[in-house]
Amino acid sequence: MAFHIVRFDHQDQPRWGLLEGSTIKPLDLPCTTTAALLEQGHEAIRAAVGDGAELVLESASLLSPITDDAKVLCQGANYRQHMIDSGMNPDDKSFNMFFTKSPASITAPGGEIIKPAHVQLLDYEIELTLVLGKQTRGPVEVTAANLHEFVAGLCIGNDVSARDVQIPQMQFHKGKSYRTFCPLGPVLCLLEKSEMHYLDEMQLQLTVNGETRQQDSTANLVFKPAETLSEYSLIHDFAPGDVLMTGTPAGCALGLPSPAVTKVAALLPESKKWQLFIKSQKRRQQYLQAGDVVESTITSRDQTLDLGKQRHTIKDGV
């Protein structure tokens, strides 16, 4: 049966805990990384519940359950409606869009997301995040039958993006990797082999200042985890504790221009084209500003799995 792990700050030291309802039961484990935790195995983790004082979830200072030694692998445009809104036909796609985020962008599931002073177009992207559990060397064939060997669990991710860096500079990695741009957690939900079906049954919701901006189900993923991991293994080795962010639903702040406008813009000098792009995007009220509150939740359709809630306030940086 799936169980829910959190990582929290205790006397200025990170600790692991087993979350049951609203109670955290500290684990007596020496693990300092997510990889080391996963290598303990389910039985050892369950047996590590100690005699220490239990904590109330609301009183705990939660940390990312993914430590910053992890690789952050990403998929782009992977929900049907998001593809359609981006001008793509999902049925015509035969390969994934891959990119990465810097591990330096990993941050806690609550607190602040820092908007760098030069960033004008700050966007949000809720994503179901797979936590990988197997070391690989070279390409692998991942199927429904062996998916459990590669996916250890799930958590919430937010692929925060500086669109005015990502798009005009054609820098996905840079535009998505500023510090605090990858909130992960709060819950690391570890799965059993029989529970892999939940990867196709998770319900995502992101709100800004209480307004729902993104809402969808992983049933609508165009590229499913098994085929995605197989394709990604052609260019990356995996290690326990690495994460794969599986794409975001429709509803981001980014608004793409019409095909007619795109054709006209293609005739303009580069500097003028991107100047107009930024000017048009700044008219969209959906982009994040200082003081905005972003909340994200992911649960299974039957409510058995609950990955918790992320809550962040946007803060201007320097």
Side-chain angles (χ1 to χ4, degrees):
M1 181 176 179
F3 55 108
H4 299 68
I5 300 295
V6 293
R7 185 166 166 260
F8 60 97
D9 185 68
H10 178 70
Q11 297 178 348
D12 296 325
Q13 294 292 326
R15 290 283 307 274
W16 299 96
L18 178 66
L19 180 64
E20 295 186 348
S22 60
T23 300
I24 299 174
K25 297 181 176 181
L27 298 173
D28 290 333
L29 290 171
C31 308
T32 59
T33 66
T34 307
L37 174 78
L38 297 178
E39 287 167 1
Q40 295 287 315
H42 287 199
E43 290 187 14
I45 294 173
R46 288 184 186 275
V49 175
D51 298 327
E54 297 178 353
L55 292 83
V56 177
L57 177 62
E58 291 184 356
S59 68
S61 178
L62 297 177
L63 306 171
S64 166
I66 308 303
T67 49
D68 61 10
D69 56 320
K71 292 191 292 292
V72 183
L73 310 175
C74 305
Q75 290 177 265
N78 196 29
Y79 282 81
R80 294 191 65 84
Q81 191 59 50
H82 191 201
M83 277 193 180
I84 293 167
D85 291 351
S86 300
M88 294 179 272
N89 181 351
D91 298 323
D92 289 342
K93 297 297 289 183
S94 59
F95 56 86
N96 270 285
M97 178 193 298
F98 290 147
F99 56 94
T100 59
K101 291 172 77 85
S102 167
S105 65
I106 294 175
T107 194
E112 296 174 338
I113 292 172
I114 306 301
K115 179 176 178 286
H118 65 278
V119 171
Q120 303 175 71
L121 306 176
L122 187 66
D123 208 347
Y124 47 83
E125 295 189 12
I126 186 175
E127 310 210 6
L128 179 69
T129 301
L130 310 184
V131 183
L132 306 185
K134 183 174 183 176
Q135 179 71 58
T136 65
R137 303 287 187 204
V140 294
E141 183 179 357
V142 185
T143 66
N146 67 5
L147 182 59
H148 66 284
E149 297 178 14
F150 297 90
V151 177
L154 310 173
C155 70
I156 302 174
N158 188 347
D159 179 18
V160 180
S161 304
R163 301 298 193 193
D164 47 331
V165 175
Q166 173 195 346
I167 298 174
Q169 296 184 24
M170 293 184 288
Q171 292 268 14
F172 268 66
H173 186 79
K174 180 180 177 182
K176 292 170 171 284
S177 290
Y178 292 99
R179 296 176 195 279
T180 74
F181 273 28
C182 188
L184 294 172
V187 171
L188 165 54
C189 180
L190 298 179
L191 300 176
E192 302 285 357
K193 177 180 178 179
S194 62
E195 295 167 324
M196 288 295 119
H197 64 91
Y198 279 117
L199 273 61
D200 202 38
E201 302 172 18
M202 303 302 289
Q203 313 299 306
L204 294 73
Q205 182 179 52
L206 179 142
T207 67
V208 178
N209 301 327
E211 175 192 4
T212 297
R213 296 284 184 85
Q214 294 183 282
Q215 191 166 13
D216 210 332
S217 167
T218 54
N220 296 318
L221 287 173
V222 175
F223 296 101
K224 304 295 186 179
E227 61 182 311
T228 295
L229 289 170
S230 296
E231 185 182 351
Y232 227 140
S233 76
L234 298 174
I235 57 172
H236 263 291
D237 291 331
F238 307 141
D242 288 348
V243 295
L244 171 64
M245 304 181 77
T246 57
T248 197
C252 296
L254 177 66
L256 295 180
S258 67
V261 171
T262 300
K263 286 183 180 180
V264 172
L267 303 176
L268 298 173
E270 282 287 304
S271 60
K272 183 64 174 179
K273 177 174 69 174
W274 295 121
Q275 184 180 41
L276 291 175
F277 168 80
I278 292 173
K279 183 178 179 180
S280 67
Q281 291 296 306
K282 287 177 71 174
R283 290 196 287 266
R284 293 180 60 81
Q285 300 300 308
Q286 294 96 323
Y287 282 104
L288 298 171
Q289 305 296 333
D292 285 346
V293 175
V294 183
E295 296 183 315
S296 302
T297 59
I298 301 180
T299 62
S300 60
R301 189 168 54 216
D302 65 4
Q303 302 296 307
T304 297
L305 308 186
D306 185 346
L307 307 188
K309 176 186 283 190
Q310 291 189 2
R311 188 179 191 277
H312 296 88
T313 301
I314 308 303
K315 181 181 178 180
D316 282 335
V318 294

